[in-house]
Amino acid sequence: MNRPIRRAAAPFLALAALAACHGKGGGDRPVRQPWVSLPAVPGRPGAAYFTLSGEGGARVLTGVRSALVQRIELHAGGMHGGMMTMRPLPRAEVAAGATRAFAPKGDHAMLFGIDPAIRPGTAIPLRFDFADGTAFEAEAKTVGPGEAAPY
């Protein structure tokens, strides 16, 4: 390839590489339908819910981050003896071809220190990090406390 063509193609190749790295625009979406339930009391944690997909192969989610949230922790949740329980979840695995739901009364991501400017209806950008070094970025819809899931 001659120099002028390489120079002209460079920005397009960089954009394509970035899109592939972050999973935007492709059919293989490792995270689907992310949403956040904002806390009833300002300053308290909120919760993020989503579905992990193993459509493109088995995956291991190692963390979630956002520029609008101070800290995000993965938690395993569920009912035990009639009581809701929660414990830290260092990683979340999904088998090839399977899905894993992070949903109310189950597994979820706790969001600590949500930017106070976030209101119901505002999107929160989330970055999902995987054990293989890949990442996927998505905007999570937000709902107020007690409101129904947007999906």
Side-chain angles (χ1 to χ4, degrees):
M1 193 182 306
N2 69 33
R3 228 178 251 270
I5 292 174
R6 270 188 288 183
R7 228 178 270 150
F12 298 106
L13 293 173
L15 286 173
L18 182 63
C21 171
H22 295 299
K24 290 188 184 251
D28 175 23
R29 296 176 45 98
V31 178
R32 297 183 179 152
Q33 299 180 324
W35 63 283
V36 170
S37 179
L38 296 172
V41 177
R44 301 293 296 167
Y49 306 107
F50 49 90
T51 299
L52 283 180
S53 171
E55 182 181 307
R59 298 185 188 281
V60 179
L61 179 68
T62 57
V64 182
R65 357 182 209 157
S66 175
L68 299 177
V69 180
Q70 289 175 1
R71 184 175 89 247
I72 301 177
E73 297 177 1
L74 296 175
H75 289 168
M79 298 300 285
H80 182 72
M83 298 283 293
M84 181 68 184
T85 62
M86 181 172 52
R87 64 178 169 75
L89 184 64
R91 53 197 293 137
E93 299 178 21
V94 62
T99 59
R100 180 173 180 173
F102 279 66
K105 298 184 182 173
D107 294 348
H108 58 279
M110 292 290 291
L111 284 65
F112 297 90
I114 298 172
D115 186 314
I118 301 298
R119 301 278 183 252
T122 306
I124 295 179
L126 297 176
R127 178 185 164 113
F128 298 84
D129 295 319
F130 294 91
D132 65 0
T134 61
F136 180 79
E137 293 179 350
E139 286 193 353
K141 295 181 178 183
T142 59
V143 298
E147 291 181 2
Y151 299 104

